[in-house]
Amino acid sequence: MRGRGNARSSRALGVSWYPATWHPRLDMGRLHRPRSSTSHRNLPHLFLFFLFVEPFSCLESHSRATELLYSLNEGLPAGVLIGSLAEDLRLLPRSAGRLDPQSQLPERTGAEWNPPLSFSLASRGLSGQYVTLDNRSGELHTSAQEIDREALCLEGGGGTAWGGSVSISSSPSSDSCLLLLDVLVLPQEYFRFVKVKIAIRDINDNAPQFPVSQISVWVPENAPVNTRLAIEHPAVDPDVGINGVQTYRLLDYHGMFTLDVEENENGERTPYLIVMGALDRETQDQYVSIIIAEDGGSPPLLGSATLTIGISDINDNCPFFTDSQINVTVYGNATVGTPIAAVQAVDKDLGTNAQITYSYSQKVPQASKDLFHLDENTGVIKLFNKIGGSVLQSHKLTILANGPGCIPAVITALVSVIKVIFRPPEIVPRYIANEIDGVVYLKELEPVNTPIAFFTIRDPEGKYKVNCYLDGEGPFRLSPYKPYNNEYLLETTKPMDYELQQFYEVAVVAWNSEGFHVKRVIKVQLLDDNDNAPIFLQPLIELTIEENNSPNAFLTKLYATDADSGERGQVSYFLGPDAPSYFSLDSVTGILTVSTQLDREEKEKYRYTVRAVDCGKPPRESIATVALTVLDKNDNSPRFINKDFSFFVPENFPGYGEIGVISVTDADAGRNGWVALSVVNQSDIFVIDTGKGMLRAKVSLDREQQSSYTLWVEAVDGGEPALSSTAKITILLLDINDNPPLVLFPQSNMSYLLVLPSTLPGSPVTEVYAVDKDTGMNAVIAYSIIGRRGPRPESFRIDPKTGNITLEEALLQTDYGLHRLLVKVSDHGYPEPLHSTVMVNLFVNDTVSNESYIESLLRKEPEINIEEKEPQISIEPTHRKVESVSCMPTLVALSVISLGSITLVTGMGIYICLRKGKKHPREDENLEVQIPLKGKIDLHMRERKPMDISNI
């Protein structure tokens, strides 16, 4: 869509334009020409434009820059027309004619510019994200990237920058957000540099949001009505103007509060909490409501947070007692320190405002204060002194509860003292055991129920019943001794142990029916006996020492304890009868030493007993076991089981296959006994597994290239310093049938021989000569004719052993022409024999008069029927299944056979070469060597001189 219809749709989507700067060289007549409703609506803007540019008209001839201003709403979809630069710059072509001569623009022919106009951005910055520019029509549209005013301007900061085709500007006014573009109008003849400003208008697309979800406000409980408190953390709305935060309200005012909003000079609104009623923390200490922020959009958007209004305490309450008087009774025999009463006041305030201290009033006599102590923090009243005979029987204690800034609360405690006159019961002891100065001495091995003393319990006045009991802990019992009254026996109840407890203190307590108590303390001291044997700290003493130790090396110091005292607890140390003679033990100090040098490889562990004996009568002893482990030192080099290792391996053995195990040992232990194997030479071919000692070849081995390998393997242990040794490894390769026979003569499938018709039957015509790189039966060769073509090719026969071809029958007149024989050269390898083929060409004629004719016959692909007839030779090797046997005799036999085969093949090769040199001295100069593939005939044309075969 283009033209005015498109402009109307843009305004419907919130897009408008303003020519901020107009150049007088453009068509001025269009400003006054009647236009559509769009032109009428833009006349006020054009009027303002003239007022703006008139002062600068003197500069217009020196600048060809133009400025346009558009505005649009944020969040518009892609494809909305922002404005047409060609139309707004009055660059649209008219039906015909020229522009005003003063415009200096090139001539337009018809309705189009010639050359055509082109619009482009000065650089390719951010323009692709927000706007697209049609370079032919000059229309600006919104792009697929939605414009978010808050993301563009609130994060972009203030100021205006033209440093690119597109930039973002936030003017000093928070409501203004500009997208700046630099547009070039080309070609160069009517170049224009246009600055385009696109004002992004805000829409209400963001709801107010509080920075925190929980807001707390503290109000003192004595705050007067209409107290205003600012609520911290007001709501934030990225939108601006009317779309920003406009007002606040509470979901529940609790009848105590209201909200007010104040706006500062920057337009920021802050909510204030206003107190509308009297507060009392003691009645309610907290109010919880929801504060709601609302913007001015249509419809408005809301944000909320929880508002907690806490009421802080003030000292508006004083301590008070719930009672004004308490009555207390104290007996004359009460124990000093006994609590007799407690007072407690209440203060409804909190913290330091509720702190209460207690004190006596000045009206309380000093004698009462000295007798009864008042705790100033807890209000507890205790008996401070013993009640004497002169103490008053009634005391009035006036107690004050003091709070900060308060008049003290008062309570009265009336204390009545009841005096008691008595004579305590009597306790008379009579000791049975040995007693000195009030201490009873008992042996620890005394039997159970050993009597200690008798106690007589009686009342001096004889009118009160007296009871008694034993107070204290220990293996003792106090029981009535019948048939006597008030007689009690103190005795032991179980065996006593001096080592557990040496001293006891118990008391015999007597009391009468009036509650009067008296007690007599008995001290018991135990005497020690030799009833304990020495005890080693550990029954098993585990020791370690490195081998090759120095003589008289220290091992440990034995230590045993004896719970007995005196000489009964003195311990001596001795070796057991199973201890070797080179160990020594000092009987006094318990130091254990070894007098000789120990070798771990000879003996690693020692185990024997030691004794600890005390000096009691009779003496007691205990036994412990010494377990000595000799630690290893790296004093042994690795040792190979054999100095030389030999392995027989079939050739073509797969890479990294297992050749054999190199066995090595190290008498040391632990890391010193860890052995690492490595190949010293031939490491590029062979590798050895350190863990298993398995020798492997990295590549497949070919006997024909090398029949044996000699390498050295080094074994290094893990000691510090490391010790090492080496062993020689010999690897012999066993032959397998992996090479087909190699045909040396004839040298080519395209060569031929002339056979004269006068050749006699039985005469040798030619021969096929081949060799095999293998050995033994794998190198025994047999020859056979498997295909024939010609007038009478059966006239020729080949010897299966020698490869000699002879004439069987006399040649006739009809036998003239080319005879072709396909010869198969096969070895006797196991399990699968290999073979090669060669074509023998025999031309029967008196002479060779037309070589080109013969060569044309050779070039033709022969149609030969293959005869699968095996050659019959006298050598018939017996094929047996080769098994991997590790027995040495088998390996030796295979070695002898292999060496014999190599010698045999070498001799045969020398013999054949000598024989060939005698029979065919000329053929070696004219024939080429060819190695045909299995069953394939190479009929490539080569020039050959014919050879005459006749009966000489």
Side-chain angles (χ1 to χ4, degrees):
M1 297 176 60
R2 302 183 58 157
R4 291 188 295 271
N6 197 16
R8 286 195 295 271
S9 65
S10 300
R11 284 189 292 272
L13 290 172
V15 181
S16 57
W17 72 275
Y18 308 93
T21 302
W22 175 76
H23 202 287
R25 291 177 182 173
L26 300 178
D27 190 356
M28 306 248 336
R30 298 185 61 188
L31 294 175
H32 305 286
R33 186 181 296 110
R35 298 181 64 187
S36 65
S37 59
T38 303
S39 300
H40 293 294
R41 284 194 296 269
N42 290 329
L43 287 177
H45 301 297
L46 296 176
F47 176 72
L48 294 175
F49 161 73
F50 284 125
L51 293 178
F52 176 76
V53 301
E54 183 64 25
F56 304 99
S57 60
C58 62
L59 303 176
E60 58 86 23
S61 60
H62 303 286
S63 173
R64 306 186 71 182
T66 307
E67 184 176 301
L68 295 177
L69 174 64
Y70 298 94
S71 66
L72 75 160
N73 292 341
E74 63 174 325
L76 293 178
V80 174
L81 177 65
I82 300 174
S84 174
L85 301 184
E87 179 180 354
D88 298 335
L89 293 173
R90 289 172 170 74
L91 298 178
L92 291 178
R94 292 177 294 179
S95 59
R98 299 176 181 267
L99 283 177
D100 190 336
Q102 297 181 356
S103 66
Q104 299 181 3
L105 289 176
E107 179 180 353
R108 291 180 294 180
T109 305
E112 296 296 336
W113 293 106
N114 187 20
L117 291 176
S118 173
F119 300 85
S120 62
L121 295 173
S123 64
R124 309 301 297 179
L126 301 174
S127 60
Q129 295 187 19
Y130 305 108
V131 299
T132 59
L133 174 65
D134 191 312
N135 61 350
R136 298 298 301 275
S137 65
E139 291 183 351
L140 276 174
H141 293 82
T142 58
S143 69
Q145 177 69 38
E146 183 180 291
I147 298 177
D148 185 354
R149 181 189 178 280
E150 290 74 31
L152 290 177
C153 294
L154 292 186
E155 299 178 1
T160 303
W162 292 91
S165 64
V166 177
S167 60
I168 301 165
S169 172
S170 178
S171 69
S173 175
S174 61
D175 293 349
S176 177
C177 178
L178 299 178
L179 186 65
L180 310 177
L181 300 90
D182 294 340
V183 180
L184 302 177
V185 181
L186 298 172
Q188 188 64 32
E189 302 90 273
Y190 40 99
F191 167 77
R192 290 290 182 271
F193 180 71
V194 183
K195 290 183 176 292
V196 179
K197 295 183 179 180
I198 303 175
I200 310 302
R201 292 196 297 264
D202 182 53
I203 64 172
N204 192 27
D205 57 344
N206 292 280
Q209 185 175 4
F210 287 92
V212 293
S213 60
Q214 299 282 342
I215 302 175
S216 298
V217 177
W218 288 95
V219 183
E221 61 178 327
N222 63 344
V225 177
N226 293 327
T227 298
R228 300 170 65 87
L229 300 169
I231 297 178
E232 297 182 356
H233 310 295
V236 178
D237 193 329
D239 297 325
V240 296
I242 193 64
N243 294 328
V245 178
Q246 298 298 318
T247 185
Y248 294 86
R249 68 175 186 272
L250 290 179
L251 193 63
D252 184 359
Y253 292 93
H254 297 283
M256 302 295 293
F257 307 97
T258 187
L259 280 183
D260 188 19
V261 180
E262 292 186 3
E263 183 175 358
N264 59 16
E265 62 274 8
N266 295 328
E268 298 176 349
R269 288 178 169 84
T270 303
Y272 282 81
L273 181 70
I274 303 176
V275 179
M276 300 301 295
L279 302 175
D280 186 3
R281 188 203 64 78
E282 289 73 30
T283 303
Q284 186 171 350
D285 62 353
Q286 181 177 279
Y287 298 87
V288 179
S289 183
I290 302 298
I291 183 172
I292 299 174
E294 182 177 330
D295 63 19
S298 180
L301 301 178
L302 308 177
S304 64
T306 300
L307 178 64
T308 301
I309 305 171
I311 309 302
S312 57
D313 183 58
I314 65 171
N315 191 23
D316 58 346
N317 291 280
C318 289
F320 64 91
F321 289 104
T322 56
D323 297 319
S324 60
Q325 179 178 310
I326 59 174
N327 298 315
V328 181
T329 299
V330 180
Y331 289 95
N333 62 343
T335 305
V336 175
T338 301
I340 63 173
V343 295
Q344 186 174 10
V346 179
D347 192 325
K348 294 183 179 181
D349 291 327
L350 294 175
T352 58
N353 295 330
Q355 186 174 358
I356 301 173
T357 58
Y358 301 93
S359 63
Y360 283 128
S361 171
Q362 294 181 357
K363 298 179 181 181
V364 178
Q366 186 63 39
S368 298
K369 294 180 180 179
D370 294 340
L371 185 60
F372 303 105
H373 176 265
L374 174 64
D375 190 301
E376 67 176 1
N377 294 319
T378 64
V380 175
I381 304 172
K382 294 182 179 180
L383 182 62
F384 192 67
N385 288 310
K386 188 175 182 180
I387 298 175
S390 61
V391 174
L392 297 176
Q393 294 184 355
S394 179
H395 299 264
K396 182 178 181 180
L397 306 177
T398 302
I399 301 171
L400 306 179
N402 305 289
C406 293
I407 299 175
V410 181
I411 189 173
T412 302
L414 297 178
V415 181
S416 298
V417 178
I418 300 176
K419 294 185 178 181
V420 178
I421 301 175
F422 67 94
R423 293 180 65 187
E426 294 179 352
I427 301 175
V428 181
R430 297 187 301 278
Y431 292 98
I432 302 173
N434 184 26
E435 182 264 340
I436 301 174
D437 296 333
V439 179
V440 177
Y441 293 91
L442 292 176
K443 291 184 177 181
E444 64 172 327
L445 297 182
E446 291 287 354
V448 179
N449 299 327
T450 297
I452 298 174
F454 277 111
F455 292 91
T456 300
I457 310 297
R458 63 190 177 186
D459 180 26
E461 299 181 3
K463 61 179 180 179
Y464 297 108
K465 182 180 179 181
V466 179
N467 294 312
C468 70
Y469 65 91
L470 187 66
D471 185 25
E473 296 181 356
F476 307 104
R477 176 176 60 222
L478 181 67
S479 58
Y481 190 74
K482 296 179 181 181
Y484 303 102
N485 294 328
N486 297 332
E487 295 288 341
Y488 294 87
L489 176 65
L490 179 63
E491 60 184 351
T492 61
T493 59
K494 58 182 180 180
M496 293 177 290
D497 191 347
Y498 175 87
E499 287 71 35
L500 295 178
Q501 188 170 346
Q502 297 87 31
F503 185 79
Y504 296 91
E505 184 174 300
V506 294
V508 177
V509 181
W511 82 98
N512 61 19
S513 58
E514 295 300 320
F516 300 135
H517 293 74
V518 67
K519 65 179 178 179
R520 184 67 175 264
V521 176
I522 299 95
K523 299 178 180 179
V524 180
Q525 175 67 55
L526 293 185
L527 301 177
D528 186 32
D529 285 315
N530 190 27
D531 59 339
N532 292 280
I535 299 175
F536 285 99
L537 295 180
Q538 295 176 338
L540 178 61
I541 304 169
E542 295 181 327
L543 305 175
T544 59
I545 187 174
E546 281 193 348
E547 62 176 329
N548 304 330
N549 57 282
S550 59
N552 299 317
F554 172 84
L555 294 179
T556 188
K557 181 177 180 179
L558 302 181
Y559 183 72
T561 60
D562 194 317
D564 294 326
S565 59
E567 64 179 9
R568 292 175 293 273
Q570 295 179 3
V571 181
S572 300
Y573 304 93
F574 305 94
L575 288 172
D578 55 345
S581 60
Y582 39 83
F583 289 96
S584 301
L585 178 60
D586 190 290
S587 61
V588 178
T589 62
I591 293 177
L592 180 63
T593 59
V594 56
S595 60
T596 187
Q597 192 176 72
L598 301 179
D599 186 357
R600 189 202 68 84
E601 288 73 33
E602 180 179 342
K603 187 173 183 179
E604 182 179 6
K605 294 184 181 295
Y606 295 87
R607 191 180 185 93
Y608 52 89
T609 58
V610 292
R611 297 187 303 128
V613 184
D614 64 20
C615 297
K617 294 181 180 180
R620 292 177 176 269
E621 69 174 39
S622 62
I623 297 176
T625 301
V626 174
L628 175 63
T629 301
V630 181
L631 302 179
D632 183 60
K633 293 182 70 174
N634 192 29
D635 56 347
N636 291 278
S637 300
R639 294 184 60 185
F640 289 93
I641 294 179
N642 301 314
K643 293 184 179 179
D644 297 329
F645 292 85
S646 297
F647 299 101
F648 294 87
V649 182
E651 66 172 328
N652 299 334
F653 197 66
Y656 292 96
E658 297 179 353
I659 295 175
V661 176
I662 309 300
S663 298
V664 62
T665 60
D666 194 314
D668 293 323
R671 188 178 185 86
N672 296 329
W674 296 352
V675 179
L677 297 174
S678 62
V679 179
V680 178
N681 62 324
Q682 304 282 358
S683 59
D684 55 334
I685 301 177
F686 297 96
V687 68
I688 190 167
D689 295 341
T690 297
K692 298 180 179 180
M694 182 62 68
L695 181 65
R696 305 172 186 270
K698 297 181 180 179
V699 297
S700 180
L701 304 179
D702 189 355
R703 188 204 61 81
E704 286 71 35
Q705 293 184 3
Q706 186 171 343
S707 61
S708 65
Y709 295 87
T710 299
L711 55 146
W712 293 89
V713 173
E714 182 182 32
V716 182
D717 63 21
E720 289 290 341
L723 302 178
S724 64
S725 61
T726 57
K728 179 181 178 182
I729 312 297
T730 302
I731 300 174
L732 300 175
L733 298 183
L734 302 179
D735 183 57
I736 64 172
N737 191 29
D738 59 343
N739 291 282
L742 175 62
V743 178
L744 301 180
F745 183 84
Q747 296 175 328
S748 171
N749 287 330
M750 300 300 293
S751 63
Y752 63 94
L753 298 173
L754 177 65
V755 180
L756 299 177
S758 60
T759 303
L760 298 177
S763 301
V765 177
T766 185
E767 71 171 344
V768 175
Y769 177 68
V771 295
D772 196 313
K773 293 182 180 181
D774 295 322
T775 61
M777 298 302 298
N778 297 330
V780 176
I781 299 175
Y783 303 88
S784 62
I785 299 175
I786 61 172
R788 303 169 186 264
R789 182 174 178 79
R792 197 157 58 95
E794 62 273 7
S795 300
F796 300 94
R797 184 183 69 85
I798 190 169
D799 189 293
K801 293 181 180 180
T802 64
N804 291 333
I805 299 176
T806 58
L807 180 63
E808 286 292 303
E809 300 176 1
L811 297 175
L812 304 177
Q813 188 69 27
T814 57
D815 293 336
Y816 282 62
L818 182 63
H819 296 254
R820 312 195 73 176
L821 306 178
L822 181 60
V823 177
K824 177 180 179 182
V825 183
S826 176
D827 62 23
H828 284 71
Y830 178 83
E832 182 71 24
L834 304 178
H835 68 272
S836 301
T837 59
V838 65
M839 183 68 73
V840 177
N841 302 303
L842 303 176
F843 186 70
V844 178
N845 202 3
D846 293 323
T847 183
V848 178
S849 59
N850 191 351
E851 291 187 6
S852 61
Y853 169 72
I854 299 174
E855 291 175 356
S856 66
L857 293 178
L858 293 175
R859 284 195 297 269
K860 294 181 180 180
E861 186 72 26
E863 295 180 2
I864 299 177
N865 295 327
I866 304 300
E867 302 174 2
E868 294 296 336
K869 182 179 180 181
E870 294 296 331
Q872 300 296 325
I873 62 176
S874 59
I875 300 177
E876 297 180 357
T878 302
H879 300 294
R880 292 193 178 98
K881 182 178 181 181
V882 179
E883 299 179 355
S884 177
V885 181
S886 61
C887 299
M888 185 59 68
T890 304
L891 297 177
V892 173
L894 290 175
S895 301
V896 173
I897 294 174
S898 299
L899 294 174
S901 300
I902 294 173
T903 304
L904 178 62
V905 171
T906 304
M908 291 179 62
I910 295 173
Y911 170 75
I912 293 172
C913 291
L914 294 175
R915 181 173 176 270
K916 179 182 177 181
K918 294 178 179 179
K919 292 184 62 177
H920 305 285
R922 292 182 301 168
E923 296 172 5
D924 294 340
E925 299 176 359
N926 299 322
L927 298 180
E928 294 181 0
V929 177
Q930 178 182 359
I931 306 175
L933 300 176
K934 293 182 180 180
K936 183 176 180 181
I937 303 172
D938 186 2
L939 300 180
H940 185 66
M941 178 63 187
R942 296 181 184 271
E943 294 184 358
R944 294 291 178 266
K945 293 183 179 181
M947 299 182 64
D948 296 337
I949 304 298
S950 62
N951 214 5
I952 299 175

